[in-house]
């Protein structure tokens, strides 16, 4: 689908005639190319709704654009440029809690071997032996975010909340997560203040959920699995233990129910593992592991119109 907008001929001629007035002069004569207000609105609307139309069926949906979600999206996009990767972030500003190190202090501590990822994305650091330090967490987050968004197969929908998970009975009769239910965050936060506004949906064979530990939008999928009856109870995150938490999160990153891969601190709420506090190697490693898990699921599945309809091995027999 393409939303084609025809510009009036008179407007086009008028704008062309004014192109000569453009000047990058910082001595008081800086002049922009002319534009009509309607052009701005039409351009944004056309691109946004074309993206929504095209991504209504995605290959992988990543819920949450924090350090784990962005690490996952980068690893997916760099390894599989054929995949349509759609990131859903509830906040206006992506990045989650990774804009600061901890307690308003800016340095970011990352334990080895996660420093390999820093070199891959081009973030400098000071080597402190068993860990490295990025001078400001925003350097890591902004670099990773810009690298992710530079991939042509990645789309980010921020200020957009996941309100629910799509489920279906799969080819084996099992309950499977088959996508996400979305709404603009401001609408999702104000359902009680107005009449119900129904959401939109995105179908995907794999959803990677990285919504963090419990909070207003945190641990969303982990809590929803319990309320849907797909998990008996929430494990609830344990106290801070860096030496136990980071390997537990990375090694525990997995497909928790068919079609749903859980990563990052949301997994601590699901499994009842420890929190790690202001060290971020576990988030990076968990995001990368989630990407590997998503690729494994996709490669093992027969997919039609964004839905898993069988296993590859079965269809090859």
């Amino acid at each position: 689908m393409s939303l084609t907008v025809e510009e009036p001929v008179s407007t086009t001629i008028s704008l062309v005639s004014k192109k000569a007035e453009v000047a990058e002069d910082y001595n008081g004569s800086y002049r922009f190319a002319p534009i009509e207000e309607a052009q701005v609105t039409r351009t944004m609307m056309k691109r946004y709704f074309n993206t929504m139309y095209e991504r209504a069926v995605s290959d992988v949906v990543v819920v949450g654009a924090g350090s784990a979600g962005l690490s996952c999206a980068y690893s997916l996009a760099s390894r599989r440029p054929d995949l349509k990767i759609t990131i859903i972030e509830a906040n206006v500003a992506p990045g989650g809690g990774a804009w600061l190190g901890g307690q308003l202090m800016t340095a970011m501590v990352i334990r080895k071997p996660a420093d390999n990822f820093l070199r891959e994305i081009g973030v400098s650091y000071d080597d402190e032996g068993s860990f490295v330090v990025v001078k400001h967490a925003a350097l890591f987050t902004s670099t990773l975010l810009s690298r992710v968004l530079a991939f042509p197969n990645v789309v980010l929908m921020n200020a957009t909340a996941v309100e629910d998970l799509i489920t279906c009975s799969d080819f084996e009769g099992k309950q499977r997560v088959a996508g996400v239910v979305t709404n603009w965050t401001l609408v999702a936060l104000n359902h009680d203040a107005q009449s119900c506004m129904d959401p939109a949906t995105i179908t995907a064979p794999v959803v990677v959920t990285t919504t963090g530990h419990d909070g207003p939008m945190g641990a969303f999928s982990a809590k929803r699995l319990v309320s849907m009856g797909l998990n008996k109870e929430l494990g609830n995150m344990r106290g801070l233990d860096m030496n136990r938490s980071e390997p537990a999160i990375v090694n525990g990153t997995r497909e928790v129910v068919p079609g749903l891969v859980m990563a990052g601190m949301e997994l601590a709420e699901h499994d009842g593992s420890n929190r790690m506090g202001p060290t971020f190697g576990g988030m990076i490693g968990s995001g990368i592991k989630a990407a590997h898990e998503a690729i494994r699921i996709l490669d093992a599945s027969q997919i039609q119109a964004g839905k898993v309809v069988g296993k590859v091995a079965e269809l090859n027999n």
Side-chain angles (χ1 to χ4, degrees):
M1 185 191 81
S2 179
L3 302 178
T4 303
V5 179
E6 296 292 339
E7 293 288 349
V9 175
S10 59
T11 302
T12 304
I13 293 173
S14 173
L15 294 181
V16 170
S17 66
K18 293 181 180 179
K19 284 184 179 179
E21 298 178 7
V22 174
E24 188 177 7
D25 183 340
Y26 295 99
N27 295 309
S29 298
Y30 194 108
R31 295 186 300 276
F32 285 96
I35 197 167
E36 297 292 336
E37 287 77 8
Q39 286 181 291
V40 177
T41 299
R42 284 171 168 170
T43 297
M44 292 189 300
M45 288 178 65
K46 180 170 68 174
R47 286 175 176 262
Y48 186 83
F49 287 108
N50 280 345
T51 297
M52 287 188 68
Y53 183 93
E54 190 261 340
R55 291 305 175 104
V57 177
S58 298
D59 294 311
V60 181
V61 170
V62 179
V63 186
S67 49
L70 290 175
S71 298
C72 175
Y74 177 88
S75 299
L76 275 171
S78 60
R79 288 168 172 78
R80 291 290 298 271
D82 58 305
L83 298 178
K84 293 196 296 184
I85 302 159
T86 303
I87 309 170
I88 308 295
E89 168 57 46
N91 289 307
V92 171
W99 290 109
L100 290 168
Q103 198 168 321
L104 303 182
M105 294 177 281
T106 57
M108 174 177 269
V109 175
I110 295 175
R111 294 165 68 191
K112 295 180 178 180
D115 58 316
N116 291 328
F117 188 69
L118 297 181
R119 290 190 292 276
E120 183 175 350
I121 64 174
V123 173
S124 60
Y125 55 81
D126 295 325
D127 196 321
E128 298 288 346
S130 61
F131 62 90
V132 302
V133 183
V134 179
K135 70 175 184 178
H136 199 300
L139 175 61
F140 166 78
T141 305
S142 60
T143 301
L144 177 56
L145 181 60
S146 65
R147 294 292 300 272
V148 167
L149 292 177
F151 286 109
N153 58 326
V154 174
V155 163
L156 168 65
M157 295 180 181
N158 50 323
T160 304
V162 171
E163 291 193 332
D164 207 347
L165 301 172
I166 300 173
T167 58
C168 66
S169 295
D170 69 7
F171 61 98
E172 295 179 316
K174 298 178 181 178
Q175 278 293 100
R176 181 181 188 88
V177 172
V180 294
V181 180
T182 67
N183 215 327
W184 288 319
T185 302
L186 290 176
V187 174
L189 291 173
N190 287 279
H191 281 313
D192 293 338
Q194 60 187 358
S195 59
C196 180
M197 184 177 291
D198 281 331
T201 62
I202 300 175
T203 298
V206 179
V207 174
V208 178
T209 182
T210 65
T211 66
H213 52 68
D214 200 6
M217 297 283 185
F220 173 81
S221 298
K223 291 184 285 190
R224 190 69 182 100
L225 291 180
V226 175
S227 63
M228 289 191 299
L230 294 180
N231 191 23
K232 183 178 179 181
E233 60 185 4
L234 204 62
N236 295 316
M237 184 173 62
R238 301 296 193 263
L240 190 149
D241 186 335
M242 291 181 179
N243 288 301
R244 294 178 65 184
S245 64
E246 290 198 282
I249 292 299
V250 177
N251 295 326
T253 297
R254 65 193 185 279
E255 186 181 26
V256 293
V257 299
L260 183 70
V261 176
M262 191 172 291
M265 292 313 297
E266 184 171 9
L267 191 66
E269 297 285 6
H270 180 276
D271 288 354
S273 57
N274 298 87
R275 69 187 302 166
M276 63 193 64
T279 175
F280 291 83
M283 296 296 93
I284 293 170
S286 181
I288 295 172
K289 174 79 178 299
H292 287 293
E293 289 293 297
I295 291 171
R296 177 189 61 79
I297 296 166
L298 291 170
D299 287 347
S301 302
Q302 174 69 10
I303 299 167
Q304 294 179 3
K307 296 181 178 180
V308 175
V309 296
K311 294 180 180 178
V312 171
E314 291 177 349
L315 295 167
N316 288 337
N317 291 333

